[in-house]
Amino acid sequence: MEKRTLGFWEIWNMSFGFLGIQFGFALQGGFMSRIFQTLGAEVDDIPGLWIAAPLTGLLVQPIIGYLSDNTWSPKFGRRKPFFLIGAILASITLFFMPHSPVLWIAAGLLWVLDSSINISMEPFRALVADKLPESQRSNGFVIQTLIIGIGTWIASNLPWLVNKLGVTNEADAGVIPQSVVVAFSIGAFVFFASILITIFTTKEDPPLDVEKFKAEKKESRFIPDLFQSLKEMPSTMKKLGLIQFFSWFAFFTMWSLSTPALTEHVFNSPKPDVKEYAKLDNAGKELKDANKKVLFLDEVKEQEYKEKDKVYNNAADLVGSATGIYGLSSMAFALLLTFYTMKNKINRKYIHMASLILGGLGFMFMFYATPSTLMYSFILIGLSWGSILSMPYAMLSSSVNPNKMGMMMGLFNMFIVIPQIIAALGGINYLYKLIGEAHINAMILAGLSLIIAGLCNFFITDKNAISG
């Protein structure tokens, strides 16, 4: 049976929960490394601390995809129960994250946060394929990207904005600034509220044959279905996986190391090492008083540390704001595609190729950027981000069994998380140091990876996947 063509606002409402999901991802991507540095992490240790994010995606998304494929309730729907569970868990974790007293708690909460976001996110991808006819798939994923761009831009600017409104971005050594705490609290509220909007405004369609669906559900088993789905994986999905591998290696590099790299190289304001200013014990750890405050060598050293830390926090706010520009750029990219795809077909392959190559050039320009020109790097990166969030999913949805859309979307996530795991386990540190020791070379590595991803689009040959 042909699916009903939906209007713009129907697609907008069913995708609106992505605003909250992206608030969570943007706060995580833009400020987790800052939290880790504040709690004492060395720069080269940061990618390893980020391993929670891809590992949880690898485990959670295929399971959630499978469960949502095999769920139907006349009252609660198919995908919506997972939206809600993920939103509750993610909102709670976002609230508590910036209150982490020590590094291991922050790293542990990242596991919970990313698991929760993944519980909400993948069913949203499947919902587009559930609800929209083939002719509207590109449009649906592009509107999701438009909303994601809005969320990225606003959330990335939150610490800077609340600081301008009077909330301090200064704090004692080892304490997360209040501006970051407030930003994460706002993110928690937006996450939950936006998911509720989608839940209350979107009605899911029942399976075409409910009795057949129930019978298949009774016979289904996760592990056998997983291996069967892997066996049935179409060649287009594998080729897209290669593109995704290099794309997400690049963006994971940006999320984990852009703050230390850009505060150092572009703003000349690295995070000061408190051990250079504090009294140390025999093990080389800074001494603290009964109130857990660092004991400095003297008042001069304490004032010197605070001044340098203030400069770093201001620079980190500006890096966060600059990072948000890629959300704004991806939003503009998505807006143009939204209007175009309403009435016209596009060549997804060449749009994706050009966007990724432009983003790669944006990363490489960071080596030469100044505080006033850094925004141009992120404008180009935003074009690639907008394409990454729409074109691969539009091509994939035209290539897989619609009855296994959730499972296939979950499996497709393997091509997103495996490169991030490789990056976190030392891939970034090893490869960028082949270019040079400076942390800015990690951004050069990201650029090279994104350009390779763009060129891999030449492998896509399926006409149904390319045109839509």
Side-chain angles (χ1 to χ4, degrees):
M1 185 176 73
E2 180 65 23
K3 295 174 183 176
R4 180 175 67 89
T5 300
L6 301 187
F8 173 82
W9 290 112
E10 289 178 288
I11 302 175
W12 176 272
N13 287 336
M14 66 184 273
S15 301
F16 192 77
F18 251 114
L19 179 72
I21 290 172
Q22 196 54 36
F23 258 70
F25 267 131
L27 290 170
Q28 173 183 298
F31 303 101
M32 276 310 304
S33 293
R34 179 176 177 180
I35 289 173
F36 288 150
Q37 277 193 288
T38 300
L39 295 175
E42 299 293 336
V43 172
D44 283 348
D45 293 335
I46 289 175
L49 291 168
W50 270 84
I51 197 171
L55 272 180
T56 52
L58 182 65
L59 297 171
V60 170
Q61 290 206 15
I63 295 172
I64 294 300
Y66 169 81
L67 291 175
S68 66
D69 279 344
N70 289 280
T71 296
W72 172 251
S73 166
K75 183 176 181 180
F76 299 108
R78 188 178 196 179
R79 315 291 182 184
K80 291 195 290 185
F82 300 94
F83 303 165
L84 184 58
I85 293 168
I88 292 170
L89 294 173
S91 298
I92 293 171
T93 310
L94 279 169
F95 180 81
F96 284 106
M97 176 69 78
H99 296 281
S100 302
V102 291
L103 190 59
W104 70 266
I105 290 179
L109 286 174
L110 179 58
W111 281 79
V112 180
L113 177 60
D114 210 75
S115 296
S116 306
I117 294 175
N118 277 301
I119 290 171
S120 287
M121 184 179 70
E122 208 56 39
F124 262 101
R125 297 291 191 197
L127 183 64
V128 169
D130 289 346
K131 295 279 292 180
L132 295 179
E134 176 64 34
S135 61
Q136 286 193 299
R137 294 277 175 84
S138 292
N139 186 239
F141 286 113
V142 165
I143 289 176
Q144 278 192 353
T145 302
L146 174 62
I147 293 171
I148 288 170
I150 295 170
T152 300
W153 179 62
I154 297 174
S156 297
N157 279 284
L158 275 178
W160 172 84
L161 177 61
V162 297
N163 176 241
K164 292 300 180 183
L165 294 174
V167 180
T168 182
N169 69 351
E170 299 178 50
D172 292 331
V175 178
I176 296 160
Q178 192 64 26
S179 59
V180 176
V181 173
V182 172
F184 272 67
S185 297
I186 294 171
F189 171 78
V190 173
F191 197 121
F192 190 66
S194 63
I195 293 285
L196 288 181
I197 288 174
T198 288
I199 289 173
F200 288 124
T201 59
T202 301
K203 182 179 179 181
E204 293 193 75
D205 300 323
L208 293 177
D209 188 333
V210 175
E211 294 305 317
K212 181 181 178 183
F213 175 83
K214 290 179 179 178
E216 291 176 346
K217 177 182 175 181
K218 288 181 180 179
E219 295 177 2
S220 67
R221 297 292 184 271
F222 175 68
I223 298 300
D225 283 5
L226 174 65
F227 282 105
Q228 185 62 31
S229 296
L230 285 170
K231 186 178 178 181
E232 294 174 356
M233 188 181 293
S235 62
T236 297
M237 185 171 172
K238 296 173 185 176
K239 294 171 183 176
L240 285 168
L242 184 63
I243 299 167
Q244 293 288 79
F245 182 95
F246 289 104
S247 299
W248 287 87
F249 187 98
F251 273 87
F252 184 85
T253 302
M254 182 189 79
W255 294 326
S256 59
L257 288 183
S258 62
T259 296
L262 297 176
T263 51
E264 289 176 17
H265 185 79
V266 177
F267 292 91
N268 197 27
S269 305
K271 176 74 175 176
D273 186 352
V274 69
K275 292 178 181 178
E276 296 178 8
Y277 305 87
K279 296 178 181 179
L280 305 177
D281 61 18
N282 292 332
K285 298 282 291 183
E286 58 269 21
L287 294 172
K288 297 183 179 181
D289 62 18
N291 296 319
K292 304 294 184 181
K293 289 189 175 182
V294 172
L295 295 173
F296 288 90
L297 291 170
D298 51 46
E299 290 184 3
V300 173
K301 287 292 185 181
E302 180 177 5
Q303 186 61 32
E304 185 179 349
Y305 173 82
K306 287 183 176 179
E307 288 176 359
K308 289 187 176 181
D309 196 50
K310 179 180 180 180
V311 172
Y312 163 78
N313 280 316
N314 288 334
D317 282 349
L318 293 173
V319 169
S321 296
T323 303
I325 290 173
Y326 89 84
L328 197 62
S329 174
S330 69
M331 181 176 68
F333 172 85
L335 190 61
L336 290 173
L337 278 183
T338 297
F339 288 123
Y340 189 81
T341 56
M342 281 180 170
K343 296 182 179 179
N344 303 280
K345 288 189 174 184
I346 57 173
N347 189 305
R348 298 161 177 164
K349 169 180 172 176
Y350 288 119
I351 286 177
H352 198 42
M353 180 187 296
S355 300
L356 294 178
I357 291 173
L358 287 172
L361 295 175
F363 274 118
M364 299 185 81
F365 178 70
M366 287 178 175
F367 188 85
Y368 306 99
T370 65
S372 60
T373 62
L374 183 61
M375 61 179 291
Y376 299 113
S377 285
F378 282 108
I379 288 173
L380 293 175
I381 291 167
L383 299 179
S384 63
W385 183 238
S387 189
I388 286 170
L389 293 174
S390 54
M391 293 300 105
Y393 295 98
M395 287 190 270
L396 176 66
S397 67
S398 300
S399 308
V400 301
N401 182 351
N403 294 323
K404 291 189 175 183
M405 191 62 67
M407 173 67 90
M408 286 300 188
M409 289 288 184
L411 288 178
F412 192 53
N413 189 60
M414 291 192 308
F415 301 117
I416 294 173
V417 299
I418 289 174
Q420 295 182 63
I421 292 170
I422 293 171
L425 289 176
I428 294 174
N429 290 341
Y430 175 76
L431 291 173
Y432 91 73
K433 287 178 181 178
L434 293 178
I435 304 171
E437 288 292 324
H439 297 124
I440 192 63
N441 289 309
M443 300 300 101
I444 302 297
L445 172 64
L448 292 171
S449 184
L450 210 51
I451 290 171
I452 292 170
L455 296 175
C456 285
N457 277 272
F458 280 119
F459 294 123
I460 304 296
T461 55
D462 183 351
K463 291 182 179 179
N464 288 330
I466 293 170
S467 179

